[in-house]
């Protein structure tokens, strides 16, 4: 999917070529950039002025080249990414490669300084000192310029700041170059020198690719993918090619070092033995159960809390009971297991090293990687057993509490119906239905939400009524009794949040029609009929193109004849089923009029066999009530579904909005016939002076519902992934830290990734008011608010300089902290939505993307550490 989106970016960068003359034939490939005359060029026929500057010829990019450039960008740019398992795997490889490159360079510099090979006061060491002094000076000049305290002069065609940065980078590069060559030549092996040569070849390759893109004219496509907004006729020079080439070179150098690490780890993995891994894992389980009593303590606490949960959990509404109980039980499982792992894992290795019990292990033929992975396997086996036990107990508890409440509510509804209390019975049945809805595994199909205001003008957002708006999913409102509407679009639709002036990004919101239209039904035949008619019309239109080759024309004739023959067959089947359905409708009406229940039931079975099931729509809207409304009066809305391809239209009956409940509606399956997965659903508020609020996920189509118990265990798998990452971090910290520091390090990672990850990201992006940490410290000490500008004193300038030095480093280090919130999918289970296998697969890749590097880093640290006498 990401490659398709990148290709669309490239196709957007294509501008039409000038109209060809009669003597010049038109080309098939669309140009990538239009030829633009140089400013000041002479108009045609004006001989009094200078001749026109030469016009750059248009760049030709066919689809194959566009896809190749898209893949090149995806595999080469450090920040290039998108959606999809393959794309995210490539992004993970790039990130790990860059991390390996950084660790490899720093490790060799550290070893060189430690062994007195580097930093002995030679001439290139002074270059490094000058670069270290020039870096904060450059940042301070930038800060002074930003605060209008200093205007740096230009040095030739470049600014003073650019010259200072380039000088610093050049000095750093020279010092690192000499340090790496000297350290690897004197302290490294042959493989290390081969890696160093490979890194330099990767650097040359990246620069060559950047130069090639600039020469071929493809560089504008790369900048558009990077998010730059520039005219299509922008002339890019060698400087831009060097910039892109440097970015690509960093990625290629990371690949080289990553390959070295992978080859070394593959050899280590092949030498590992299952018996040794099993022995270490079993030893870890014995330590946890016998010495620390961790699983018994966790199980006891879980059962004690569960025994008295129903005393304290009182849902505000009967329909919220399932969500409240599910979220509480999953939170209890997550808290207990993550707490157990956080305490156990960082204590294991440091305690063994301190008590010298590890000597009996490392003195035997046990590899260092087996020590790391064996302990991780043991702890995760313990977590797995506990999680399965907690999941089974929780499901039994939910079926006993929520299920019993649901059955009791249905029994009370039936009793109310027998007593003639129809309104009470209806309310009780709605409560039972809401309980059932939350205790399922719904598989929603969501569309893209956009709005029309009261004048019918389209907008990406509706009315802001002043309530809290979620940044993850914005919520807007529409005004009642006006033309304003909320529109959910399905199919391939443009992103409504595309900035003005940019080509909209295409969203994939296609409806899987085959999940709604049952094969062999009347609606399925109608859909097949529309598809064949479209294929015939498309082939006939393609045949009318000029200069069509004879072979292509013959192929189109065969396709038209074949599709027309199939079209006649499908049309005859559809007409036969249509007559059968009409006769069945007449018989059903007569049976209902005669009051014959057995015949009605038989005819309904035949009717359901001929027709596809109605399309279920579920909605969870909120209402913003103004003082002009009447207390207790419901807010009404209407729903209209439109097939944009066949213009089929269905208007649902007016319905009352029930807040905090799932509003349900149905559409006839025929509205999807011929849609090719496209649909438009419009919702309008009919109550005057009232506002109806919604987010994109508040309305969805429901093709199926899964089993809640299985979905609950899938939700607990997210907790298992969190424990896996925490286990890797704890074992990694224990390889080089004492147990108190290792424990604090593991706790820090968990708190930062679970509670403060979004804050850390905003902090590194400088999206928090008040500046960076040093500027915020000054505001705290001087009692200045976050909005006002600080006076440009020496302390403020120093603080902003330090922030500018620290924030780039923090922006890279923040992503070393795992985002545990992403791995947690228990909210989906509590809301009654199915956890898709795609989500589980992506979360598993994310967890392994953290667990494997942490375990490999622990292996290298333990390998270099002397743990035996």
């Amino acid at each position: 999917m990401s490659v398709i989106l990148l290709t669309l970016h490239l196709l957007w960068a294509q501008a039409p070529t000038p109209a060809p003359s009669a003597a010049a034939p038109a080309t098939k490939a669309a140009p990538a950039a239009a030829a633009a005359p140089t400013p000041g060029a002479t108009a045609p026929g004006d001989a009094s002025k200078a001749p026109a500057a030469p016009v750059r010829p248009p760049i030709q990019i066919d689809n194959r080249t566009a896809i190749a450039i898209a893949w090149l960008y995806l595999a080469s740019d450090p920040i290039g990414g998108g959606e999809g398992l393959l794309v995210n795997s490539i992004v993970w490889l790039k990130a790990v490669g860059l991390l390996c490159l950084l660790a490899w360079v720093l490790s060799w510099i550290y070893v060189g300084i430690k062994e007195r090979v580097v930093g002995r006061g030679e001439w290139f060491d002074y270059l490094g000192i000058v670069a270290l002094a020039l870096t904060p000076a450059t940042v301070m000049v930038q800060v002074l310029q930003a605060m209008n305290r200093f205007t740096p002069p230009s040095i030739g065609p470049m600014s003073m700041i650019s010259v200072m940065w380039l000088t610093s980078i050049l000095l750093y590069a020279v010092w690192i170059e000499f340090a790496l060559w000297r350290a690897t030549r004197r302290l490294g092996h042959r493989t290390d020198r081969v890696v160093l040569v490979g890194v330099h070849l990767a650097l040359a390759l990246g620069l060559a690719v950047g130069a090639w893109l600039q020469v071929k004219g493809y560089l504008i496509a790369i900048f558009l993918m990077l998010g730059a907004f520039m005219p299509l006729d922008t002339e890019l020079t060698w400087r831009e090619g060097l910039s892109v080439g440097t970015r690509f070179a960093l990625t290629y150098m990371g690949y080289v070092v990553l390959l070295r690490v992978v080859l070394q780890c593959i050899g280590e993995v092949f030498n590992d033995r299952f018996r040794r891994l099993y022995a270490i894992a079993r030893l870890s389980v014995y330590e946890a159960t016998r010495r620390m009593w961790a699983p018994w303590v966790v199980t006891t606490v879980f059962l004690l809390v569960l025994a008295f949960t129903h005393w304290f959990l009182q849902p505000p509404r009967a329909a919220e009971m399932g969500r409240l109980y599910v979220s509480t039980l999953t939170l209890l499982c997550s808290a207990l297991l993550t707490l157990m792992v956080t305490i156990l894992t960082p204590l294991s290795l440091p305690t063994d090293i301190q008590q010298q019990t590890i000597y009996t292990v490392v003195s035997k033929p046990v590899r260092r990687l087996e020590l790391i992975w064996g302990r991780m396997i043991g702890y995760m086996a313990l977590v797995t057993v506990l999680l399965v036990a907690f999941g089974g107990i929780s499901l039994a508890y939910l079926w006993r509490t929520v299920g019993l409440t649901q059955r009791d509510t249905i029994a009370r509804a039936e009793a109310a119906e027998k007593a003639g209390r129809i309104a009470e019975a209806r309310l009780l049945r709605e409560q039972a239905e809401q309980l059932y809805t939350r205790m399922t595994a719904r598989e929603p199909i969501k569309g893209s939400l956009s709005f029309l205001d009261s004048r019918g003008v389209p907008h990406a957002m509706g009315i802001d009524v002043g309530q809290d708006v979620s940044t993850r999913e914005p919520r807007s409102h529409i005004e009642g009794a006006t033309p304003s509407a909320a529109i959910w679009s399905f199919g391939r639709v443009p992103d409504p949040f595309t900035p003005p002036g940019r080509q909209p990004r295409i969203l994939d919101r296609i409806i899987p029609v085959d999940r709604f239209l049952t094969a062999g039904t009347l609606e399925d035949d109608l859909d097949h009929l529309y598809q064949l008619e479209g294929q015939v019309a498309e082939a006939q239109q393609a045949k009318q193109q000029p200069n069509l080759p004879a072979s292509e024309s013959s192929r189109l004739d065969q396709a038209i004849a074949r599709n027309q023959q199939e079209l006649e067959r499908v049309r005859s089947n559809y007409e036969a089923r249509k007559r059968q359905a009409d006769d069945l409708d007449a018989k059903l009406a007569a049976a209902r009029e005669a009051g014959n229940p057995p015949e009605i039931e038989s005819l309904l079975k035949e009717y359901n066999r001929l027709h596809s099931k109605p399309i279920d729509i579920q909605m969870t809207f909120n209402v913003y009530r103004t003082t002009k409304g009447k207390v207790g009066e419901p807010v009404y809305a209407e729903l209209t579904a439109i097939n944009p391809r066949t213009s089929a239209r269905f208007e649902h009956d007016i319905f009352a909005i029930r807040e905090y409940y799932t509003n349900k509606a149905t559409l006839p399956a025929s509205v999807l016939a011929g849609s090719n997965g496209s649909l438009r659903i419009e919702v309008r508020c009919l109550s005057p002076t009232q506002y109806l609020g919604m987010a994109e996920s508040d309305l969805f189509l429901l093709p199926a519902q899964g089993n809640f118990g299985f979905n609950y265990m899938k939700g607990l798998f997210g907790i298992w992934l969190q424990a896996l990452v925490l286990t890797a971090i704890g074992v990694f910290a224990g390889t080089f830290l004492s147990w108190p520091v290792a424990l604090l390090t593991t706790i820090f990672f968990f708190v930062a990734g679970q509670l403060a990850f979004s804050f850390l990201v905003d902090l590194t992006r400088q999206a928090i008011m008040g500046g960076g940490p040093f500027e915020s410290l000054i505001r705290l000490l001087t009692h200045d608010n976050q909005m006002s500008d600080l006076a440009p004193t020496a302390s403020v300038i120093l603080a902003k300089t330090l922030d500018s030095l620290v924030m780039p480093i923090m922006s890279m280090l923040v992503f070393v902290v795992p985002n545990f919130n992403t791995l947690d999918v228990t909210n989906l289970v509590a809301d009654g939505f199915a956890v898709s296998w795609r989500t589980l697969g992506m979360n598993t890749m994310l967890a392994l993307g953290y667990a494997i590097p942490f375990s490999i880093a622990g292996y290298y640290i333990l390998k270099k550490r002397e743990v035996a006498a």
Side-chain angles (χ1 to χ4, degrees):
M1 180 56 62
S2 175
V3 175
I4 296 175
L5 294 176
L6 294 178
T7 305
L8 291 174
H9 275 293
L10 286 173
L11 296 179
W12 166 47
Q14 298 174 353
T17 51
S21 60
T27 58
K28 294 182 180 180
T38 305
T42 312
D46 191 355
S48 61
K49 297 183 179 180
V55 178
R56 183 178 57 176
I59 306 299
Q60 303 291 332
I61 297 182
D62 56 10
N63 291 335
R64 181 175 300 180
T65 305
I67 294 175
I69 295 177
W71 277 107
L72 175 66
Y73 166 77
L74 179 63
S76 303
D77 191 78
I79 63 173
E83 300 178 355
L85 183 60
L86 177 60
V87 174
N88 287 325
S89 300
I90 296 175
V91 173
W92 179 80
L93 288 176
K94 292 188 294 185
V96 175
L98 291 173
L99 186 62
C100 290
L101 175 64
L102 179 62
W104 181 79
V105 172
L106 293 179
S107 64
W108 276 115
I109 292 176
Y110 170 76
V111 171
I113 294 175
K114 181 181 178 182
E115 299 296 333
R116 301 295 298 168
V117 176
V118 181
R120 297 187 302 178
E122 300 187 21
W123 65 271
F124 59 87
D125 294 325
Y126 293 105
L127 296 181
I129 295 175
V130 172
L132 285 175
L134 190 59
T135 301
T138 307
V139 174
M140 182 169 290
V141 171
Q142 277 187 318
V143 172
L144 291 173
Q145 183 186 20
M147 300 181 69
N148 297 323
R149 301 290 294 177
F150 175 68
T151 303
S154 298
I155 302 177
M158 303 177 63
S159 64
M160 176 182 173
I161 296 177
S162 300
V163 172
M164 294 176 69
W165 274 123
L166 289 176
T167 305
S168 318
I169 294 172
L170 181 61
L171 293 177
Y172 278 126
V174 172
W175 183 79
I176 292 174
E177 184 76 14
F178 276 94
L180 290 178
W181 278 110
R182 179 160 295 188
T184 54
R185 190 181 65 220
R186 297 189 180 183
L187 303 175
H189 301 286
R190 180 181 178 183
T191 307
D192 300 318
R193 291 187 286 273
V194 170
V195 172
L196 184 57
V197 172
V199 167
H200 284 79
L201 293 177
L203 174 62
L205 176 62
L207 297 177
V209 171
W212 176 79
L213 291 172
Q214 192 272 331
V215 170
K216 290 293 185 179
Y218 301 150
L219 204 59
I220 181 100
I222 300 297
F223 274 93
L224 291 174
M225 293 177 190
L226 290 172
F229 184 62
M230 57 181 62
L232 299 177
D233 56 353
T234 303
E235 187 74 31
L236 299 178
T237 63
W238 64 270
R239 294 186 181 87
E240 288 77 15
L242 179 63
S243 173
V244 172
T246 304
R247 297 169 64 93
F248 287 8
L250 287 174
T251 304
Y252 298 156
M253 290 189 291
Y255 287 154
V256 172
V257 182
L258 178 61
L259 179 62
R260 168 74 174 94
V261 174
V262 169
L263 292 178
Q264 187 174 6
C265 291
I266 286 177
E268 187 75 15
V269 169
F270 277 121
N271 290 323
D272 290 345
R273 294 296 179 265
F274 174 76
R275 292 179 59 187
R276 295 195 291 263
L277 288 172
Y278 172 74
I280 297 174
R282 186 177 61 179
L283 178 63
S284 302
V285 174
Y286 286 165
E287 290 178 353
T289 54
R290 293 179 180 178
R291 189 170 64 183
M292 300 183 182
W293 295 83
W296 310 117
V297 173
V298 168
T299 304
T300 303
V301 173
F302 179 81
L303 294 177
L304 285 175
V305 174
L306 195 65
F308 303 99
T309 298
H310 62 282
W311 287 12
F312 305 99
L313 291 184
Q314 299 297 329
R317 288 166 294 275
E320 295 289 325
M321 181 179 182
R323 188 185 191 283
L324 180 63
Y325 274 69
V326 171
S327 58
T328 302
L329 291 176
T330 53
L331 177 62
L332 180 62
C333 294
S334 175
L336 291 176
L337 291 177
T338 52
L339 180 63
M340 182 190 74
V341 170
T342 304
I343 296 176
L344 275 181
T345 54
L347 301 183
S348 176
L349 273 175
T351 303
D352 287 351
I353 294 174
Q354 182 181 2
Q355 297 178 356
Q356 299 182 359
T357 56
I358 197 173
Y359 295 165
T360 58
V361 177
V362 297
S363 60
K364 295 177 174 59
V366 177
R367 310 187 73 87
R368 298 299 190 266
L369 190 60
E370 292 172 344
L371 285 175
I372 302 294
W373 284 0
R375 292 177 183 272
M376 291 179 59
I377 292 172
Y379 291 131
M380 290 312 301
L382 194 61
V383 170
T384 303
V385 173
L386 290 175
L387 201 60
V388 171
F390 290 172
I393 296 173
S394 300
L395 286 176
Y397 182 81
L398 288 172
W399 284 325
R400 179 181 174 274
T401 54
V402 182
L404 184 62
T405 302
Q406 181 185 357
R407 292 189 293 271
D408 180 64
T409 304
I410 294 176
R412 290 165 54 196
E414 292 176 352
E417 286 181 349
K418 293 179 181 179
R421 301 191 300 272
I422 304 301
E424 180 183 354
R426 185 184 301 111
L427 178 61
L428 291 173
R429 287 196 178 276
E430 287 182 354
Q431 291 179 358
E433 186 180 4
Q434 295 296 323
L435 285 173
Y436 172 76
T437 299
R438 293 299 177 89
M439 298 297 291
T440 56
R442 296 173 289 176
E443 302 174 8
I445 297 177
K446 301 178 182 179
S448 175
L449 177 61
S450 59
F451 293 88
L452 296 179
D453 61 13
S454 57
R455 297 185 300 272
V457 180
H459 294 279
M461 296 287 293
I463 300 174
D464 183 6
V465 296
Q467 294 179 337
D468 292 337
V469 178
S470 173
T471 56
R472 297 184 60 183
E473 190 176 25
R475 177 171 293 274
S476 297
H477 293 73
I478 57 176
E479 186 178 358
T482 64
S484 61
I487 302 173
W488 279 265
S489 301
F490 298 84
R492 293 193 180 276
V493 297
D495 187 358
F497 289 96
T498 303
R502 297 293 299 268
Q503 185 74 9
R505 184 169 65 98
I506 302 301
L507 303 177
D508 186 4
R509 298 290 189 268
I510 296 178
I511 301 173
V513 178
D514 56 332
R515 299 190 64 182
F516 292 96
L517 303 184
T518 307
T521 59
L522 185 66
E523 291 80 10
D524 182 64
D525 287 343
L526 181 60
D527 181 65
H528 197 189
L529 190 66
Y530 279 122
Q531 290 183 3
L532 289 173
E533 289 178 349
Q535 293 174 7
V536 170
E538 182 179 356
Q540 290 175 347
Q541 184 178 3
K543 190 179 176 182
Q544 295 176 358
Q545 293 181 356
N547 303 325
L548 192 67
S551 59
E552 183 67 15
S553 178
S554 176
R555 187 189 67 81
L556 290 175
D557 288 336
Q558 294 176 4
I560 291 173
R562 182 173 60 254
N563 289 334
Q564 285 180 342
Q565 183 179 1
E566 179 70 13
L567 180 63
E568 293 300 326
R569 186 188 67 81
V570 173
R571 181 178 286 113
S572 62
N573 290 341
Y574 171 74
E575 292 175 353
R577 281 199 175 93
K578 186 68 169 60
R579 289 192 297 269
Q580 186 179 358
D582 293 340
D583 295 340
L584 190 61
D585 289 339
K587 293 179 181 178
L588 189 59
R592 284 173 175 169
E593 185 177 355
N596 190 351
E599 184 179 1
I600 294 175
E601 183 177 357
S602 176
L603 291 175
L604 284 176
K605 290 182 180 179
E606 184 67 18
Y607 179 88
N608 293 331
R609 188 184 64 83
L610 282 176
H611 293 274
S612 298
K613 293 182 180 180
I615 302 171
D616 291 327
I617 298 179
Q618 295 191 359
M619 301 159 283
T620 52
F621 300 146
N622 73 290
V623 176
Y624 179 77
R625 301 178 183 273
T626 63
T627 56
K628 297 180 180 179
K630 296 182 180 179
V631 178
E633 182 178 339
V635 173
Y636 293 94
E638 65 174 0
L639 183 146
T640 304
I642 304 171
N643 187 330
R645 294 184 177 271
T646 64
S647 300
R649 186 183 185 94
F650 175 79
E651 296 183 358
H652 192 274
D653 294 337
I654 297 174
F655 58 96
I657 298 298
R658 302 203 61 189
E659 292 188 88
Y660 312 109
Y661 281 77
T662 301
N663 298 272
K664 299 181 179 181
T666 57
L667 300 177
S670 59
V671 76
L672 284 181
S675 65
N676 289 339
S678 300
L679 191 66
R680 177 185 172 99
I681 297 179
E682 300 178 358
V683 175
R684 288 180 170 83
C685 180
L686 302 181
S687 300
T689 68
Q690 305 301 316
Y691 294 86
L692 187 63
M694 65 280 297
E696 188 172 84
S697 61
D698 283 358
L699 183 146
F700 54 87
L701 308 182
L702 187 63
Q705 296 184 143
N707 180 266
F708 173 78
F710 185 63
N711 192 55
Y712 185 83
M713 299 306 296
K714 288 164 69 175
L716 295 184
F717 181 72
I719 301 175
W720 189 90
L721 293 177
Q722 289 181 333
L724 173 63
V725 177
L726 270 179
T727 301
I729 294 174
V731 175
F732 159 76
T735 57
F736 65 102
L737 298 173
S738 61
W739 72 262
V741 183
L743 178 62
L744 292 177
T745 301
T746 309
I747 293 175
F748 165 77
F749 270 97
F750 177 69
V751 173
Q754 183 73 30
L755 303 177
F757 187 81
S758 59
F759 170 77
L760 292 176
V761 173
D762 291 339
L763 179 64
T764 55
R765 292 177 178 174
Q766 300 184 8
I768 298 178
M769 292 185 299
F774 293 99
E775 182 181 348
S776 299
L777 178 61
I778 290 182
R779 291 180 182 274
L780 183 64
L781 296 176
T782 58
H783 303 286
D784 284 319
N785 60 59
Q786 296 178 335
M787 301 295 296
S788 61
D789 294 331
L790 296 178
T793 60
S795 59
V796 172
I797 295 174
L798 179 61
K800 291 191 174 184
T801 301
L802 293 176
D803 286 337
S804 300
L805 289 172
V806 170
M807 298 308 289
I809 301 176
M810 290 184 60
S811 63
M812 292 184 292
L813 294 179
V814 69
F815 292 102
V816 179
V817 178
N819 186 2
F820 289 106
N821 288 323
T822 302
L823 301 176
D824 187 9
V825 293
T826 54
N827 285 334
L828 289 175
V829 180
D831 289 331
F833 292 107
V835 180
S836 65
W837 290 109
R838 181 179 181 274
T839 300
L840 288 182
M842 298 297 294
N843 288 352
T844 303
M845 291 291 294
L846 178 63
L848 292 177
Y850 280 103
I852 293 177
F854 273 115
S855 63
I856 297 299
Y859 155 72
Y860 276 106
I861 294 174
L862 199 61
K863 183 180 179 181
K864 299 296 183 181
R865 180 176 180 178
E866 185 66 35
V867 294

